[in-house]
Amino acid sequence: MFPSGHPERSAVERNGVEGSRDQTLKVPQRYSSTPLRSVRNDEKVSRHSSLCGLALGLVLIACAIPSAKAQDFLDHVDEALSFSALNGEVRARVSGTLDLEVYHFSGLSPGLIRTTNDTLFNPRLSLFLDAQLGPSVYLFTQTRVDRGFDPSDRGAQLRLDEYAVRVTPWEDGRFTLQAGQFSTVVGNWVPRHLSWENPFVNAPLPYENVTAIGDKSAPYYSFLGIGTPAEKYEHNPIIWGPSYATGVSVAGKIGQFDYAGEIKNASLSSRPESWPITRMDFANPTVSGRVGFRPNEMWTFGFSASEGAYLRPEAMSTLPFGRDPGDYHERLFGQDIGFAWHHWQLWAEFFEARFEVPGFTDADTFAYYLEAKYKFTPQFFGAVRWNQQFFGDVTNSYGGTAPWGRDLWRADLAVGYRFTAHTQLKLQYSFQHEKDGGNDSDHIFAAQFTVRF
Amino acid sequence: MRCLVFCLCLLSALTRSAPAQGSVEGQVDLPRTKSAPVMTKRYEIVTTGGVLGTNPPLAVVYLEGSFPTSSNLPTKQVAQKDLAFVPALLPVQVGTKVEFPNLEKDTYHNIFSYSPAKRFDLGRYRPDEKPVPSQIFDVAGLVTLRCDIHEHMRGLILVLATPHFVVTDDSGHFRLKGLPAGHYTLKAWIDSRTTREHPIDLKSGSTLQVDFPATP
C-alpha cells in the first residue's frame, strides 16, 4: 500500500481503483480537448489559405521539376557530388532528399506529430554521405535540417542523426562490424523508412503510436492515459521510428540465414534525444538481435528480440527508494515477413512488447501491421496498410486492474507518383479508431513531395 | 541481242544486291573518366565487401540518314551482373527487342526507365525466371536505365533510327563498315548533353577518316 500523498497513491486515487481488484479502472481521456482545440476562426482561415498556397506551390514544383532539363540537371548534380581519390580506392558520394510535407488531421495530432494545430507544414532537408574506403570499409552519415526529428511546428534544427563506420573483412558478407549512431537491426521497416522508399508519409503504428509509457519519470500520474498533445510527446511508442541509438552491431549471412546483433545506449522505445552518446551513456545498454531466413529472393522471414532499460536518468528521482532506471526494462519480441515479386511488395511485422513499470505489474502490448504496395504503372503506385495495437491489463500494488491503453486500429491508404527518378509526390489518408474512447476516431490527411539528388 | 539484255539485267541485279560500300574510321575525344559509384549500404543488414567497377566513358558513332527499316532485328541484352548493367551503354536500332537477364546469384533487381523514349518498370524478378523480361524500343532517343533497389546502378540505351552505328573503344577509336555511298551526317554521341557531328561524302569502296575532337 502506498502512504497518503505518495505519487502512486495519488494516481490510484485519481483513477478510483484503490482496493477494487475487479473494478475496471477509469481510463482518462487521451487528450484534454477544448482548450487546445480552440482556434479563432480568422486564424483557421489564414491557415487554410496558407495550406492552399502551399499545396499550389507543391503542384507547381511538381510540374516544373519533371522537365527534361531539370531531370538532366539533377542527374548531373548526382555525378558532380561523387568523388574519388587514390585510383578509386577512396570513393565518396553526397546525396540527399528535400521533403515538403503537409499534414491535416481532424482530431489532435496523431502519432509522433508534435503540434497543437490541426495542420502542419514540415519541410526537411536530409544530406547523406556514403564513402567506400577500399573493399572493406564503408562509412555513412545522415544530417538533417528540419523542425525536429518528428514533424513539429518548432523552429529549425540542424542535427547529425546518423554516423557509422562498417568493416566487412570478407567479401562474402559472412561478418560485418559496425559502430556509430545508426538504425536498429530489429524488424524489416528500417530499409524503407526514408521518404523515397516509404510508400506512406508516416510510419507503421508500432513505430509511432505513443503509449502511456514515459521515459522521463515513473508513470505514476500518467500511466493510465495521456493528457495533452504536449504531454503526449513525453511518452513513448514501442519502437521510436528507426531508433538511431548509438552502439555497435555485428551482422552477416550464412547460406540462407542472416543474423544481426547490436548493443546500444538506449532502448527501442527511447526518444531521439536519448540516441546520441553525448546524451546517454552505456550505463544501461539495450541488446537487440534479429535472425533472418531467406529461402529465395521473394521471401524473407525474421525473428527479432530486444531488451534494455527504457527510463532516462532524470527518472531516477521519481523511482521507488533503492531502485534505479536500470531496473525497469523494455522487452520486445518481433516477427517480420517480407515478400516481393514483379510489381508487388508485401510486408508484415508483429511485436510483443513488455514494459516493467514502477508500482505496477508488467505492461504488455501487442502491435502488428500488414502492408502492401503495388505499381500500377512505371510511375504510379498505391499502398494500403492495416495497423492494430492491443493493450494488456496492469495491476497496481492495491490490486486494481485495468488496461493501460486503448486498443486501436488504423487503416492507411496512399498513392504515389514518381515524376522522374528524382521527384515523387505521395498522398495519404488514414483513419484511426480507438476502442472505448470519447474522441475516438481521427481522419488524417498527408501529402509529401520529395526531391532526391 | 538476248545475250546483251541478259548481261545488263544481271549487272543491274548485282548492283542492287551488293550496293557500293564505304567505311569511316576515326577518333572521338572522350570525356575524362567519372568517379566510380558508391553503393549505398546504410540500411542493409547484410553487406558484402568489394567495390564497384568503373565504367570508362564511351561514345556511339552513327550515320544519320534515311535508311530502310528491317523487321528482323536481332534481340539484344543488357544484363545485371555484380550490381551493374552490362553493357553500360547499348546502341540499338528502332524496333529492337532488348532482354534484361538478371545474372546475379541471389539478388533481386527492379529495372525501370522514366525516359520519354521508353517508360517501363520490369518489377522484381528472380534470376531463373523465364521468359527473361524484355522491352521493345520503338522510339528513337536516349533511355536511362535504373534499378529501384540499387540506387547507384545506371545504364543507357541509345535508340537510333539507323542501322549504322558502333560503340568506340576505351580510347575513343571507331570504325564503321558497310556504309552505303552518299551524302550523310556522321554523329558522335558523347553523353546526354553532347553530340558532335560531321557531314561526310561517302564514295563506294573508300574509307574516310573523321575525328571528333573535343574542341573543333
Side-chain angles (χ1 to χ4, degrees):
Chain A
M1 298 293 282
F2 296 104
S4 177
H6 188 283
E8 183 162 336
R9 183 182 176 95
S10 302
V12 168
E13 286 170 349
R14 286 193 327 156
N15 289 298
V17 296
E18 172 113 27
S20 55
R21 179 180 293 272
D22 298 324
Q23 182 181 348
T24 301
L25 295 182
K26 180 187 175 190
V27 181
Q29 289 295 313
R30 185 176 53 143
Y31 307 126
S32 63
S33 54
T34 17
L36 288 164
R37 305 279 297 130
S38 60
V39 181
R40 287 184 318 199
N41 285 340
D42 54 344
E43 287 176 345
K44 274 194 169 180
V45 169
S46 169
R47 198 179 309 128
H48 284 132
S49 301
S50 304
L51 187 62
C52 290
L54 194 62
L56 184 62
L58 287 181
V59 171
L60 288 175
I61 292 171
C63 293
I65 289 187
S67 72
K69 280 187 178 176
Q71 162 83 8
D72 202 37
F73 170 75
L74 289 170
D75 274 342
H76 283 84
V77 167
D78 205 8
E79 290 170 8
L81 293 176
S82 297
F83 314 93
S84 68
L86 303 175
N87 291 324
E89 282 297 300
V90 177
R91 303 174 181 186
R93 176 172 176 251
V94 176
S95 59
T97 54
L98 172 65
D99 297 313
L100 304 175
E101 299 169 356
V102 181
Y103 298 89
H104 180 74
F105 17 87
S106 62
L108 291 165
S109 58
L112 292 167
I113 296 174
R114 193 177 185 183
T115 180
T116 53
N117 297 319
D118 58 6
T119 301
L120 177 68
F121 172 58
N122 187 57
R124 181 188 307 119
L125 175 66
S126 306
L127 292 173
F128 304 97
L129 169 68
D130 296 276
Q132 184 77 48
L133 315 177
S136 304
V137 180
Y138 169 75
L139 60 89
F140 66 93
T141 66
Q142 181 187 177
T143 306
R144 284 189 188 179
V145 183
D146 54 23
R147 304 175 77 179
F149 184 82
D150 299 295
S152 82
D153 51 12
R154 297 188 298 171
Q157 289 183 2
L158 170 66
R159 294 184 319 279
L160 178 61
D161 276 344
E162 281 189 289
Y163 60 88
V165 59
R166 181 181 302 181
V167 180
T168 308
W170 292 278
E171 287 210 1
D172 60 6
R174 76 183 82 158
F175 178 79
T176 294
L177 176 68
Q178 180 166 297
Q181 183 180 330
F182 53 89
S183 56
T184 182
V185 300
V186 168
N188 70 8
W189 180 67
V190 162
R192 65 181 189 283
H193 77 281
L194 296 178
S195 59
W196 189 261
E197 287 81 16
N198 187 0
F200 296 90
V201 179
N202 62 1
L205 198 68
Y207 293 87
E208 67 162 32
N209 183 52
V210 177
T211 67
I213 287 293
D215 58 357
K216 292 185 173 177
S217 64
Y220 299 122
Y221 294 108
S222 56
F223 188 50
L224 297 174
I226 304 170
T228 66
E231 287 177 32
K232 185 193 71 168
Y233 205 76
E234 303 300 305
H235 293 72
N236 304 70
I238 298 176
I239 305 175
W240 197 302
S243 188
Y244 293 150
T246 304
V248 178
S249 75
V250 293
K253 179 184 175 186
I254 301 169
Q256 293 178 317
F257 293 90
D258 57 71
Y259 66 90
E262 65 185 15
I263 180 165
K264 296 277 192 75
N265 66 332
S267 70
L268 291 177
S269 64
S270 63
R271 66 190 54 253
E273 297 94 291
S274 302
W275 298 342
I277 190 65
T278 52
R279 307 290 289 275
M280 282 273 280
D281 59 20
F282 278 88
N284 298 305
T286 288
V287 178
S288 308
R290 180 181 181 274
V291 175
F293 173 59
R294 194 180 183 207
N296 53 47
E297 293 83 357
M298 296 164 71
W299 290 97
T300 58
F301 302 91
F303 299 91
S304 304
S306 177
E307 174 158 2
Y310 67 93
L311 291 172
R312 286 169 57 87
E314 59 261 41
M316 181 73 184
S317 61
T318 65
L319 297 179
F321 181 73
R323 310 300 295 271
D324 66 59
D327 293 332
Y328 301 97
H329 284 202
E330 175 191 8
R331 290 192 189 90
L332 177 141
F333 291 99
Q335 304 81 39
D336 62 80
I337 302 172
F339 172 83
W341 188 61
H342 290 191
H343 297 106
W344 281 103
Q345 285 179 273
L346 308 173
W347 301 273
E349 287 190 275
F350 308 87
F351 294 110
E352 302 87 37
R354 167 170 290 179
F355 293 89
E356 295 173 338
V357 184
F360 291 85
T361 54
D362 294 340
D364 294 339
T365 182
F366 169 68
Y368 76 94
Y369 71 89
L370 310 170
E371 182 175 327
K373 175 186 174 187
Y374 184 76
K375 286 184 188 172
F376 297 104
T377 72
Q379 291 163 279
F380 178 57
F381 64 85
V384 293
R385 185 169 59 200
W386 173 261
N387 313 260
Q388 211 161 0
Q389 185 163 7
F390 303 95
F391 293 88
D393 289 348
V394 290
T395 304
N396 64 19
S397 304
Y398 302 99
T401 300
W404 64 283
R406 292 200 187 95
D407 297 348
L408 74 158
W409 58 263
R410 192 180 79 200
D412 301 317
L413 178 67
V415 291
Y417 191 81
R418 289 189 173 172
F419 297 94
T420 70
H422 300 281
T423 50
Q424 173 178 266
L425 178 66
K426 290 184 288 189
L427 304 173
Q428 180 177 335
Y429 168 72
S430 298
F431 180 76
Q432 180 169 308
H433 179 77
E434 287 188 12
K435 183 184 172 189
D436 300 331
N439 183 17
D440 58 357
S441 297
D442 289 332
H443 303 272
I444 304 156
F445 299 90
Q448 184 185 59
F449 181 71
T450 301
V451 179
R452 182 172 73 156
F453 56 89
Chain B
M1 187 59 189
R2 280 184 182 173
C3 185
L4 181 61
V5 171
F6 175 76
C7 287
L8 285 173
C9 289
L10 184 63
L11 185 62
S12 170
L14 284 173
T15 306
R16 276 202 300 272
S17 62
Q21 293 190 332
S23 56
V24 184
E25 64 180 15
Q27 182 79 25
V28 180
D29 278 358
L30 299 172
R32 64 182 178 84
T33 303
K34 294 171 188 166
S35 296
V38 180
M39 185 182 170
T40 303
K41 305 174 184 176
R42 291 188 292 266
Y43 307 117
E44 292 188 1
I45 290 177
V46 177
T47 53
T48 53
V51 293
L52 300 162
T54 305
N55 285 317
L58 301 170
V60 175
V61 178
Y62 62 96
L63 197 66
E64 191 176 70
S66 180
F67 303 103
T69 54
S70 170
S71 58
N72 193 24
L73 295 168
T75 298
K76 301 285 186 179
Q77 284 197 335
V78 175
Q80 301 108 60
K81 177 72 177 163
D82 298 330
L83 302 176
F85 288 108
V86 182
L89 171 62
L90 177 71
V92 298
Q93 189 178 356
V94 169
T96 300
K97 178 181 177 183
V98 179
E99 295 179 337
F100 297 91
N102 178 358
L103 303 183
E104 307 282 5
K105 189 180 172 191
D106 55 2
T107 302
Y108 255 151
H109 287 291
N110 186 158
I111 309 309
F112 72 93
S113 160
Y114 293 162
S115 301
K118 189 70 182 180
R119 291 177 206 269
F120 65 92
D121 186 314
L122 299 179
R124 286 157 164 79
Y125 52 95
R126 300 189 309 272
D128 58 349
E129 275 197 58
K130 295 288 184 269
V132 175
S134 62
Q135 292 287 311
I136 294 173
F137 292 83
D138 42 16
V139 175
L142 180 66
V143 177
T144 303
L145 304 175
R146 301 171 198 266
C147 177
D148 200 20
I149 304 169
H150 306 100
E151 188 187 341
H152 67 275
M153 287 178 66
R154 295 287 160 79
L156 296 170
I157 294 179
L158 186 62
V159 187
L160 299 165
T162 171
H164 304 291
F165 51 80
V166 68
V167 180
T168 66
D169 60 21
D170 294 357
S171 62
H173 184 260
F174 71 91
R175 182 181 176 87
L176 258 176
K177 295 184 291 187
L179 304 177
H183 185 75
Y184 300 103
T185 301
L186 190 68
K187 292 193 170 183
W189 179 94
I190 313 289
D191 58 37
S192 61
R193 291 198 287 197
T194 314
T195 301
R196 299 176 193 137
E197 59 183 56
H198 203 292
I200 58 170
D201 241 333
L202 267 175
K203 293 190 173 60
S204 174
S206 68
T207 298
L208 284 179
Q209 176 74 30
V210 179
D211 293 334
F212 293 94
T215 51

